[in-house]
């Protein structure tokens, strides 16, 4: 595939402003490995779009010069959050992204990202390959991913996303438990019929609680009057109430609410984020590297939000410790409010990495200092979790 004409539109490379590994010897990939992994979950995670009882995901590992880099793909086995799935990600990685990555050496992750641009969409597949490239490049340079990204924080404030509970009393108990664990921010899931009561109960028990309500696209503009009544309970923000790909209706809804709107699903590139801010659809931005095609795009979105004074926080996709760790490195950039980075042990008895991601009693997570992601996969656990694997070569 030859580069598209639009390539000339490229912005100044991040390497102009951030370390990123400019000047390094180019990397020639020797092998890319795709594995489908399954981790049992300790508790189901329920949202307006479904219940997850098991975590299945694709692990992308790249090999070059005796080094390995790993990337966790956030696509689910089901297209209930966004259209990508494990199956589409494996297909696009195998048939389109891997050949582009093998086609020529690349010196920086930014160079690889530019090469993947002819493939439209498939942000989660691209992000996984890109994360592996960041891990490998940073390892080779002997610096942490945080340093490579230009991060300055050595610890980040953890927050927690709480799935739909059996009833409002159970939700109140759960929130109390998570606050006791030290989390700096609480988010709860809502859906029609499970919104007013939940927010009323939370406000009653926790008068000063900063609580985010995430609807995962469970409403339409016809629910505007109903959603406006949630203002009474003063949630800190309402996350993605309307269509998963919508920004226009969110701008209309925003005018009818006091509660600020935060967008998640709809924001899949920096241009979309800018447009959403410009038309008043997003007062707050949830940034997930996997949803926007990776860390290069994430840094652009971070920089835009900081420049525009728009609050920004890092979301989660129920990642294993590997993906969580990448989110921790990203949040070492100044400007992130506490988001959805909670302890992976809330979900998994046996996480895959060492050292594990740990939320300290004061609700902070240390940014790993070792090279790359700064964590290692535990081979025995990786093998146990592996459902299938395939190797791709040039
Ligand atoms: O909408 O933020 C979301 C998890 C899976 C899919 C979508 C969302 C979430 C979360 C984050 O709420 C949960 C977590 O990673 O702990
Ligand atoms: Mg969300």
């Amino acid at each position: 595939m030859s580069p598209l004409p639009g390539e000339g539109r490229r912005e100044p490379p991040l390497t102009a402003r951030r370390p990123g590994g400019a000047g390094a010897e180019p990397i020639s990939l020797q092998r890319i490995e795709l594995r489908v992994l399954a981790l049992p979950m300790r508790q189901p995670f329920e949202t307006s779009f479904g219940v997850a009882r098991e975590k299945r995901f694709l692990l992308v590992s790249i090999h070059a010069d005796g080094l390995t880099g790993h990337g966790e793909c956030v696509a689910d086995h089901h297209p209930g959050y966004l259209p990508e799935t494990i199956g589409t990600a494996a297909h696009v990685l195998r048939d389109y992204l891997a050949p582009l990555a093998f086609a020529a050496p690349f010196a920086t992750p930014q160079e690889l990202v530019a090469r993947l641009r002819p493939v439209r969409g498939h942000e989660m597949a691209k992000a996984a390959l890109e994360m592996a490239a960041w891990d490998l490049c940073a390892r080779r340079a002997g610096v942490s991913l945080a340093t490579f990204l230009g991060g300055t924080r050595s610890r980040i404030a953890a927050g927690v996303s709480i799935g739909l509970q059996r009833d409002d009393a159970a939700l109140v108990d759960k929130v109390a438990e998570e606050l006791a664990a030290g989390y700096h921010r609480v988010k709860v899931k809502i859906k029609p019929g499970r919104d007013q009561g939940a927010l009323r109960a939370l406000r009653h028990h926790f008068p000063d609680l900063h609580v985010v309500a995430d609807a995962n696209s469970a409403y339409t503009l016809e629910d505007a009057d109903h959603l406006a009544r949630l203002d009474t309970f003063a949630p800190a923000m309402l996350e993605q109430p309307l269509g998963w790909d919508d920004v226009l209706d969110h701008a209309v809804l925003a005018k009818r609410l006091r509660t600020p709107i935060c967008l998640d699903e709809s924001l899949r590139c920096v241009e979309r984020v800018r447009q959403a801010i410009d038309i008043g659809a997003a007062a707050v931005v949830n940034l997930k590297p996997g949803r926007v095609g990776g860390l290069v795009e994430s840094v652009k979105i971070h920089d835009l939000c900081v420049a525009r004074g728009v609050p920004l926080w890092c979301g989660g996709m129920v990642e294993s410790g590997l993906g969580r760790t990448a989110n921790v490195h990203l949040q070492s950039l100044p400007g992130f409010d506490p988001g959805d980075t909670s302890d992976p042990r809330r979900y998994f008895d046996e996480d895959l990495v060492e050292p594990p991601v740990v939320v300290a009693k004061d609700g902070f997570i240390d940014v790993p200092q070792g090279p790359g992601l700064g964590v290692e996969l535990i081979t025995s656990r990786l093998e146990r979790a592996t459902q299938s694997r395939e190797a791709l070569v040039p």
Side-chain angles (χ1 to χ4, degrees):
M1 211 187 292
S2 56
L4 297 181
E7 287 281 77
R9 222 165 37 84
R10 205 178 294 165
E11 297 151 74
L14 275 174
T15 44
R17 298 179 292 118
R18 300 179 194 272
E25 273 294 298
I27 288 167
S28 293
L29 290 188
Q30 281 139 4
R31 194 160 55 91
I32 299 177
E33 190 177 40
L34 306 181
R35 287 185 190 233
V36 177
L37 304 182
L39 294 177
M41 287 173 69
R42 297 179 51 203
Q43 50 179 352
F45 184 70
E46 182 169 356
T47 64
S48 66
F49 64 82
V51 190
R53 295 195 167 79
E54 181 193 52
K55 170 72 183 179
R56 252 186 287 162
F57 66 98
L58 200 59
L59 174 72
V60 179
S61 305
I62 65 174
H63 303 270
D65 306 326
L67 289 168
T68 303
H70 298 290
E72 175 167 341
C73 182
V74 302
D76 209 342
H77 55 92
H78 178 270
Y81 166 75
L82 282 176
E84 287 185 84
T85 65
I86 292 177
T88 68
H91 156 58
V92 168
L93 279 156
R94 180 193 309 117
D95 295 335
Y96 300 103
L97 302 179
L100 289 169
F102 284 135
F106 57 88
T108 63
Q110 290 87 341
E111 211 178 302
L112 175 64
V113 168
R115 182 127 23 103
L116 304 182
R117 204 166 296 160
V119 175
R120 292 183 179 171
H122 300 285
E123 291 83 7
M124 295 174 178
K126 288 177 182 170
L129 180 59
E130 194 224 55
M131 189 199 297
W134 278 103
D135 186 26
L136 191 140
C137 290
R139 269 174 206 276
R140 196 179 55 152
V143 301
S144 72
L145 177 54
T147 303
F148 228 37
L149 291 169
T152 51
R153 296 173 171 170
S154 59
R155 318 177 74 200
I156 65 120
V160 63
S161 171
I162 299 173
L164 289 162
Q165 301 295 305
R166 196 177 51 252
D167 52 33
D168 298 338
L171 177 64
V172 167
D173 288 348
K174 194 79 188 161
V175 168
E177 182 191 320
E178 301 295 11
L179 290 174
Y183 286 105
H184 292 259
R185 210 283 300 264
V186 171
K187 170 168 123 179
V188 299
K189 294 292 186 178
I190 60 165
K191 68 176 187 180
R194 305 292 303 280
D195 44 14
Q196 284 207 45
L199 294 180
R200 181 185 295 114
L202 290 176
R203 193 49 73 214
H204 176 73
H205 285 86
F206 311 98
D208 302 321
L209 184 69
H210 173 106
V211 61
V212 178
D214 188 0
N216 288 109
S217 300
Y219 302 88
T220 71
L221 208 43
E222 288 176 14
D223 300 310
D225 287 335
H226 171 74
L227 292 171
R229 284 194 283 277
L230 302 181
D231 282 343
T232 321
F233 310 110
M237 64 195 80
L238 185 56
E239 182 173 339
Q240 196 78 30
L242 309 180
W244 64 270
D245 198 27
D246 171 80
V247 290
L248 297 179
D249 281 356
H250 280 101
V252 175
L253 179 66
K255 293 200 178 67
R256 302 187 41 190
L257 306 184
R258 260 199 325 270
T259 304
I261 290 178
C262 171
L263 290 186
D264 172 357
E265 283 90 331
S266 306
L267 304 179
R268 297 190 302 280
C269 63
V270 66
E271 292 82 6
R272 220 3 154 43
V273 176
R274 180 182 50 73
Q275 292 158 0
I277 294 169
D278 283 346
I279 68 169
V284 183
V285 168
N286 167 341
L287 174 55
K288 298 177 181 175
R291 195 196 63 223
V292 303
L295 293 165
V296 172
E297 197 73 6
S298 295
V299 171
K300 290 182 189 171
I301 292 170
H302 165 273
D303 292 357
L304 172 75
C305 289
V306 170
R308 299 284 295 267
V310 174
L312 161 83
W313 50 270
C314 181
M317 289 294 289
V318 191
E319 297 94 341
S320 81
L322 188 80
R324 282 294 210 234
T325 299
N327 293 342
V328 170
H329 283 285
L330 175 63
Q331 289 169 87
S332 71
L333 298 182
F336 281 98
D337 290 337
D340 288 347
T341 307
S342 61
D343 194 322
R345 285 173 300 185
R346 290 178 62 257
Y347 296 124
F348 313 113
D349 275 325
E350 285 206 336
D351 194 10
L352 294 175
V353 296
E354 231 166 29
V357 177
V358 176
V359 178
K361 283 196 170 47
D362 61 1
F364 283 88
I365 301 173
D366 286 335
V367 179
Q369 299 297 305
L373 286 167
V375 295
E376 302 301 329
L377 286 164
I378 302 166
T379 310
S380 57
R381 293 186 182 177
L382 177 63
E383 294 303 332
R384 211 174 309 140
T386 300
Q387 297 205 315
S388 64
R389 55 198 288 184
E390 69 181 289
L392 310 172
V393 290

